[in-house]
Amino acid sequence: MKLQKKDILEALKTITAPGAGENMVDSGAVTNVLTFGDEVIVDITINNPTLQARKKAEVDIMKTIHDKVFEKAQVKVNVKVTAPPKEETVEIKGKAIPGIKNIVAVASGKGGVGKSTVTSNIAVTLAKMGFKVGILDADIYGPSVPIMFDVANERPLSVNVDGKSKMKPIESYGVKVLSIGFFTKPDQAVIWRGPMAAKALNQMIFDAAWGELDFLLLDLPPGTGDIHLSIMQSLPITGAVVVSTPQNVALADAKKGVAMFKQESINVPVLGIVENMAYFTPDELPDNKYYIFGKEGAKNLAEDLDVRLLGEIPLVQSIREAGDVGRPAALQANTATMEAFDNLTKNVVEETVRRNTDLPATEAIKITTMAGCSAVKN
């Protein structure tokens, strides 16, 4: 018997497509029907990936054709499974903290590039500019911000805010600081799995009396791991700053750091890249620059990734010494170091303003002007 395509389609209209509520033909589940004498091939597409759904669709089609068209028909069913269409893109977005206008994550692809040093000096420079600033030391396993602000022996107090007990951040040089380092002994290693670390971070974020802040800087741990995802699931990050040194080994990891923030599900704007230890200038030869780790590596990377090079910080002994004694180098008045951090911080503020003007607003309140910032006027 020669089978007709129209008869096959009429028969298939009596079968409901899996999960569609319509018959297989009208819903578009049947994508093709071929007939060759008493042979028929039916191609269908369904959204349900389970084996049970596929087998049921196949059996229903074969039985219907045998019952309604020709009982001896040789039927072959090709089932293709596709994912159901997404109604919207799901992004990792957290809830805003009342009173905090901008949350800037400072990250690096690898350790040892001076990320905490850069974060601390941006913070004190923002405070000098007149902004209200806080730092959350999110490097659970290697907290160093308390040392850099000379508050390693301090302990946060408990304060009552709207009937709830909150941690009061330690304040130093006009910057509010919270770190896991305040809750551990200097020689105590933090040996926690991801969920415990994430819980500790959430407590420092949401159980802290931050008050009104223009900027909350997040000093993230190196890499692109669990802590980073936990932070971005908890908070609406305004933008990210990626720190690198000029050599290829560091730049390769910095590229991954930028790629993490640009992931479709994360979608955090990258404000730019900072090149730390960009060059060495001896005190006795202030006009000389020695590119120990390579020249303009971060600048070239920024151009390749279409992000801004926010600043180049020199390799200067006083920066290291200042961090060790707990007085960030950006506080050294009338020095090339202070000037480098001033320029870097101005660019971070400028990029934050541009990000808040050009891109859709996050849940966090945002800066819309730099008026009143004396350092920006200079």
Side-chain angles (χ1 to χ4, degrees):
M1 177 180 175
K2 180 175 176 57
L3 300 177
Q4 299 295 323
K5 181 176 179 179
K6 64 178 182 177
D7 296 331
I8 303 295
L9 290 174
E10 284 298 320
L12 295 180
K13 285 184 179 181
T14 65
I15 307 174
T16 301
E22 291 184 282
N23 66 68
M24 280 199 167
V25 176
D26 293 338
S27 68
V30 176
T31 56
N32 195 25
V33 173
L34 295 175
T35 58
F36 305 93
D38 63 353
E39 296 180 17
V40 58
I41 300 174
V42 180
D43 295 333
I44 67 167
T45 300
I46 63 174
N47 292 330
N48 192 330
T50 65
L51 178 61
Q52 181 181 1
R54 296 200 299 270
K55 294 301 294 182
K56 185 178 186 305
E58 184 177 349
V59 169
D60 286 349
I61 290 172
M62 295 177 68
K63 186 175 185 304
T64 300
I65 293 175
H66 287 152
D67 290 347
K68 297 184 178 298
V69 183
F70 181 46
E71 64 178 356
K72 294 183 180 181
Q74 300 181 48
V75 183
K76 181 180 180 182
V77 181
N78 298 318
V79 182
K80 180 180 179 182
V81 178
T82 60
K86 296 181 180 179
E87 294 182 1
E88 58 182 23
T89 300
V90 178
E91 294 184 353
I92 297 177
K93 294 293 180 185
K95 56 182 178 180
I97 305 175
I100 297 181
K101 297 179 180 179
N102 292 275
I103 301 174
V104 176
V106 183
S108 64
K110 70 190 300 294
V113 298
K115 170 182 50 59
S116 296
T117 298
V118 169
T119 305
S120 300
N121 282 281
I122 290 175
V124 296
T125 305
L126 285 169
K128 285 194 304 179
M129 290 177 172
F131 290 113
K132 297 176 182 177
V133 189
I135 289 184
L136 174 65
D137 186 357
D139 194 347
I140 293 292
Y141 305 107
S144 54
V145 170
I147 295 174
M148 294 184 175
F149 279 84
D150 195 23
V151 290
N153 296 320
E154 300 288 337
R155 296 293 178 267
L157 300 175
S158 177
V159 294
N160 189 288
V161 179
D162 298 328
K164 295 181 180 179
S165 181
K166 299 272 188 178
M167 288 180 285
K168 182 180 180 182
I170 302 299
E171 190 161 342
S172 180
Y173 308 118
V175 178
K176 295 179 179 179
V177 180
L178 267 185
S179 169
I180 197 66
F182 292 140
F183 307 99
T184 59
K185 297 178 181 178
D187 59 349
Q188 179 183 354
V190 177
I191 309 173
W192 290 346
R193 293 189 184 273
M196 286 187 66
K199 184 177 180 181
L201 276 175
N202 274 333
Q203 285 185 304
M204 288 195 292
I205 293 169
F206 296 109
D207 293 342
W210 290 108
E212 298 289 329
L213 293 180
D214 296 306
F215 285 93
L216 175 62
L217 303 183
L218 307 179
D219 183 23
L220 297 180
T224 56
D226 187 57
I227 296 297
H228 303 76
L229 289 177
S230 296
I231 285 283
M232 288 179 284
Q233 284 176 323
S234 300
L235 293 169
I237 310 297
T238 306
V241 172
V242 177
V243 181
S244 180
T245 46
Q247 71 268 39
N248 289 338
V249 171
L251 293 171
D253 290 327
K255 185 182 296 184
K256 295 174 185 175
V258 173
M260 173 185 68
F261 290 113
K262 288 188 173 184
Q263 286 263 355
E264 184 178 353
S265 60
I266 294 174
N267 197 24
V268 170
V270 177
L271 303 179
I273 296 176
V274 179
E275 184 174 82
N276 194 29
M277 308 181 209
Y279 54 84
F280 169 66
T281 297
D283 289 338
E284 63 274 17
L285 298 170
D287 295 328
N288 288 24
K289 292 182 178 180
Y290 299 93
Y291 298 92
I292 297 173
F293 296 116
K295 187 176 182 180
E296 297 183 342
K299 177 182 178 182
N300 295 331
L301 178 62
E303 291 175 354
D304 290 344
L305 299 178
D306 193 26
V307 296
R308 182 172 180 176
L309 179 66
L310 296 169
E312 296 173 310
I313 306 302
L315 178 61
V316 178
Q317 182 175 335
S318 63
I319 296 179
R320 191 271 305 165
E321 293 173 339
D324 285 349
V325 300
R327 182 175 171 81
L331 298 174
Q332 299 169 0
N334 302 317
T335 62
T337 300
M338 185 197 77
E339 183 180 349
F341 282 117
D342 278 357
N343 289 333
L344 164 61
T345 307
K346 287 179 188 177
N347 291 338
V348 170
V349 174
E350 188 176 296
E351 285 302 309
T352 303
V353 172
R354 181 178 291 114
R355 173 260 177 277
N356 288 335
T357 302
D358 295 346
L359 298 178
T362 62
E363 290 87 344
I365 306 167
K366 56 186 185 298
I367 289 178
T368 56
T369 178
M370 287 167 26
C373 176
S374 58
V376 174
K377 293 178 182 177
N378 292 341

